[in-house]
Each structure stands twice: as structure tokens, then as C-alpha cells.
Amino acid sequence: MEISERAKNISPSLTLAITAKAKAMKAQGMDVVSFGAGEPDFDTPAYIVEAAKYALDHGMTKYTPVPGTVELRRAIAEKLTRDTGVAYAPEQIVVSTGGKQTLRNACEALVNPGDEVLLPAPYWLTYPELIRMSGGKTVVLETTDKSDFKITPEQLENAITDKTKALIFTNPSNPTGMVYSPEETEALAKVAEKHGLYVISDEIYEKLVYGAACRSIASFGNMKDLTVICSGMSKTYSMTGWRVGYSAAPLNVAKAMSSIQSHTTSNTNSIAQYASYVALTDERGEEFLGNMVKVFDSRRRLITELVRKTPLLSAPEPKGAFYIMVNVSGTFGKKCGGEVIRDSSDFCDMLLEKSLVAVVDGAAFGAPDYVRLSYACSEDDIRKGLERMAEFTSSLE
């Protein structure tokens, strides 16, 4: 059976593949330390789990409106209004089956075949695939650790052409962990507003910031009218498996996204929607989030310190999410057991084979000199993993 050209051009998720491979090796009894995780290693708070049980016991098991229950959309709108300082109505909210679907809906609603979509690199590896599936063309804006992996207003201005339709903006960033300051975000917003550039703003890590200020790009000037905010419950409330994402957009775009969703998944799981409503409205959520941020902050400082002590590696200190982007180009050209490390892919393969440490190849993020490490793991694993990495890099010839 012949598959479509579209399917042939879509690459599988490397982050999921690395995590699966590490789990398979562990299942075989190998002591693998994995830095591949893209989810918090915390249980979903008990009060949210109890809410799901309540929903089941009280018959909340039927279809809901495609964009979500009114109660949940109202809670999301109120949360966004508080956080951004601009008003959102429930009608502008679409609840989806995870953050990926919000992004897919946004691309489908905004991007026409041939439209250019600007994408700062390093980028989350799903973005180019979503642009491609929507018929758009990805235009990559390169950054390095020397600029803290951030684009400048001048870089954005110079990339805009008469074919440019949108910018995908991630703040805080996966994979780099960097956070644009409010001043930096505002400067980019001014360029976008000047050109009428749509912004798909991925804010899934918005609450995971450490000593840094972070504001939605929708909160500046008239950017609310040009921005689709995409977020979800997965990172803030450790609800990755519940698959609840949400978007906030101008009303016509929200309606289009809802229509698209009506012909794909229809409504998000009804029980997960009620649990999400309780997550957003119960004051215990703030306590859970505060504790989680403290733990991640401690791990962030530890992993940064240990990476910087590791021979041949370097990394800027991340300010958000739970990732650190490590420059491994210092190992290129060196030998491991007689084999030459040519690139980041070789580095990842040899590190896993020789030292039982799993990291994600930066080439998947448009950053071939780097690898991504997630610190959504214990401090013991961070110490063990970085000790093995130091032994590995020290052994290179």
C-alpha cells in the first residue's frame, strides 16, 4: 500500500524515540540515566485526581461542545486575562487534546500553501512538521549560545518578506530553557505589529521560570489581535498524560480552529476537562506549582554547574522550562575507542553506548552543535549522569 507524499515527509519525534530507547534499555537491566524526558517527574496533584473521580462518579462522560465546556473555557479566559492584562472571553478559547493539537489547529487556521513561517532555532522539533503539514514554508532564524539563543528585532525585521505570514514564538523555550525578558518581547512585538505579522505563541512553560520575568507577547500594544496563544495543563500541573491543551485567539481564528477540530478529534476528554477546571480554580494549585518550581530551580543550578565543569562542554544558564542546551562541538574530531565523533549524533550514540547516558541530539532542534538535557529527573540522576559524561569526555583522544 502506497502512503501519501505528506506522510513520507513527516519525521517521527526524536525526543519520544530517545525516551523509548532509554526505557527499553532499562527494561533489559541496564543502568541508563536518561536526560530525554519532556515532562515533569511529579505526580499529578491529588486534588486534580480526585476531581476526575468526581467527574466519573457524577456522569460527566458525554460529549461536550467541541471547543470545551463553558466552565473550563471561562476559567481559562479569566486566567489569561489575569496573566496578560488584556481581556479574553470564553468564546475566544478552544480546548484541545494536548498542546500539540492547539499548535496544529493554529497552523491549519492561519497558514496557506506557500506562506512563510518564521521559526527561531533552536526550535521544538514538531514546529517544522506542523508548518509543512499546513503547506507552509519554514524560514529558520539562527541563534547561538552567544546570544542566549534569542532572536533580535533587527533579525526579525530582516527576515520578513511579502510571503511571510507568521512567527512561531516560544517563551520560555523548549529546547533551550531561555526566557525573553518583557523588554525583549516588547521589542519583537513592535516589529510584528508594524508588519501585521501573526504570532503563534507557545506558552506551555510560562509558569516554569527561575528568577526571570516572562510576559506574553499578546500583552503588548495591539498584539492580542495578531496572536494565538497556545498552552495547556501538562507542564504547570504535571498533567502530560491527561492531554489537555488550550488556545486563545481573535474570535474569527478561534471559530476556525474549533471548526477544524470538529472534524478531527471533536471535544477533549470530558473527565480531563473537569479535572482541568478544578486545577485552574482550586487554590491548592499555586502551592503545588510553587513547590515544583523550587525543585526545578535547584536542579537547574546543579546541572548548569556540573555541565560547566565537564571537559569539552559548555552551556548558558537556562532561566525557564526544565532543559539545558549543551554545546558539544568541542568533542568533534576526537576519538572514542578509535571511532571519530563527527557530529552531535555521533556524540549521542557513543555516549549512550559507552556510558549509558541518554541525551537528545540537537540536530533535531536545528542546532547540530548541541544536545538537549532535561532536568526533569532526580538530583541523584543528574549527579550520576554528569559524572559519567565527564568520564566520557575526559577519555576522548
Side-chain angles (χ1 to χ4, degrees):
M1 184 178 291
E2 184 73 15
I3 64 172
S4 69
E5 291 302 315
R6 180 184 297 108
K8 290 178 184 177
N9 290 327
I10 299 302
S11 302
S13 171
L14 182 61
T15 53
L16 296 180
I18 289 293
T19 301
K21 185 175 182 178
K23 286 181 178 179
M25 292 174 69
K26 285 183 179 180
Q28 294 171 18
M30 300 183 190
D31 182 24
V32 176
V33 176
S34 178
F35 290 113
E39 60 182 345
D41 57 324
F42 295 81
D43 291 334
T44 302
Y47 81 92
I48 298 174
V49 176
E50 289 301 318
K53 294 177 182 177
Y54 178 91
L56 286 166
D57 290 341
H58 289 77
M60 299 182 193
T61 57
K62 305 298 183 182
Y63 292 134
T64 75
V66 169
T69 65
V70 173
E71 293 80 8
L72 177 54
R73 284 183 286 143
R74 182 178 295 117
I76 293 168
E78 290 173 353
K79 176 260 181 208
L80 289 170
T81 299
R82 288 194 304 272
D83 288 353
T84 65
V86 293
Y88 282 94
E91 294 76 20
Q92 295 177 272
I93 309 300
V94 177
V95 179
S96 303
T97 305
K100 274 186 182 178
Q101 190 178 26
T102 69
L103 293 160
R104 170 75 166 148
N105 287 345
C107 287
E108 284 292 311
L110 294 177
V111 179
N112 290 310
D115 284 346
E116 294 179 350
V117 180
L118 305 182
L119 182 62
Y123 45 73
W124 183 42
L125 52 84
T126 293
Y127 296 142
E129 307 299 338
L130 296 179
I131 295 167
R132 183 180 296 114
M133 285 190 286
S134 300
K137 176 185 177 182
T138 299
V139 177
V140 175
L141 307 183
E142 301 285 353
T143 70
T144 69
D145 50 10
K146 293 181 176 59
S147 63
D148 281 344
F149 300 113
K150 299 175 185 178
I151 62 169
T152 64
E154 294 76 20
Q155 193 175 6
L156 178 60
E157 178 83 45
N158 292 336
I160 296 172
T161 71
D162 57 1
K163 293 183 179 180
T164 306
K165 186 66 171 290
L167 163 72
I168 293 183
F169 184 64
T170 315
N171 191 30
S173 168
N174 172 15
T176 69
M178 288 304 162
V179 177
Y180 286 84
S181 70
E183 294 77 16
E184 291 168 333
T185 305
E186 183 176 22
L188 295 174
K190 288 179 178 178
V191 176
E193 188 172 344
K194 170 186 171 184
H195 291 277
L197 179 66
Y198 298 144
V199 177
I200 299 172
S201 182
D202 188 345
E203 302 179 11
I204 195 76
Y205 294 96
E206 60 172 331
K207 298 297 184 181
L208 299 181
V209 292
Y210 318 104
C214 183
R215 277 182 60 184
S216 172
I217 196 168
S219 67
F220 296 100
N222 295 313
M223 282 304 297
K224 178 191 170 186
D225 297 331
L226 293 170
T227 302
V228 179
I229 293 175
C230 296
S231 192
M233 307 300 293
S234 61
K235 315 304 180 184
T236 300
Y237 297 98
S238 197
M239 294 176 66
T240 51
W242 298 69
R243 308 311 300 140
V244 180
Y246 58 82
S247 57
L251 186 58
N252 66 322
V253 178
K255 287 181 177 179
M257 292 172 69
S258 180
S259 294
I260 291 165
Q261 185 168 300
S262 73
H263 294 292
T264 52
T265 59
S266 192
N267 67 270
T268 301
N269 179 283
S270 58
I271 296 95
Q273 284 194 64
Y274 180 73
S276 297
Y277 163 74
V278 173
L280 287 167
T281 56
D282 192 299
E283 62 184 15
R284 284 173 287 185
E286 288 299 317
E287 180 182 0
F288 169 78
L289 177 61
N291 290 334
M292 184 168 64
V293 167
K294 286 180 182 178
V295 172
F296 277 138
D297 188 21
S298 176
R299 295 174 183 174
R300 174 186 69 95
R301 287 182 275 109
L302 174 63
I303 199 168
T304 302
E305 176 187 356
L306 294 179
V307 165
R308 288 176 172 177
K309 289 180 179 179
T310 303
L312 305 177
L313 305 185
S314 63
E317 183 181 54
K319 297 294 185 182
F322 39 74
Y323 308 108
I324 183 169
M325 206 70 172
V326 180
N327 191 325
V328 297
S329 62
T331 68
F332 298 170
K334 296 189 176 295
K335 292 183 178 180
C336 173
E339 294 184 73
V340 176
I341 298 177
R342 297 163 299 175
D343 51 29
S344 56
S345 179
D346 284 346
F347 177 90
C348 292
D349 289 343
M350 293 182 195
L351 180 66
L352 182 57
E353 180 184 343
K354 305 293 184 184
S355 301
L356 299 181
V357 176
V359 299
V360 183
D361 185 358
F365 306 113
D369 286 347
Y370 301 86
V371 298
R372 190 194 76 174
L373 277 66
S374 165
Y375 49 92
C377 55
S378 70
E379 290 197 1
D380 286 343
D381 276 354
I382 290 172
R383 293 182 189 279
K384 183 194 295 186
L386 265 296
E387 181 179 347
R388 292 180 184 179
M389 289 181 73
E391 291 173 354
F392 174 79
T393 57
S394 296
S395 70
L396 300 178
E397 300 170 352

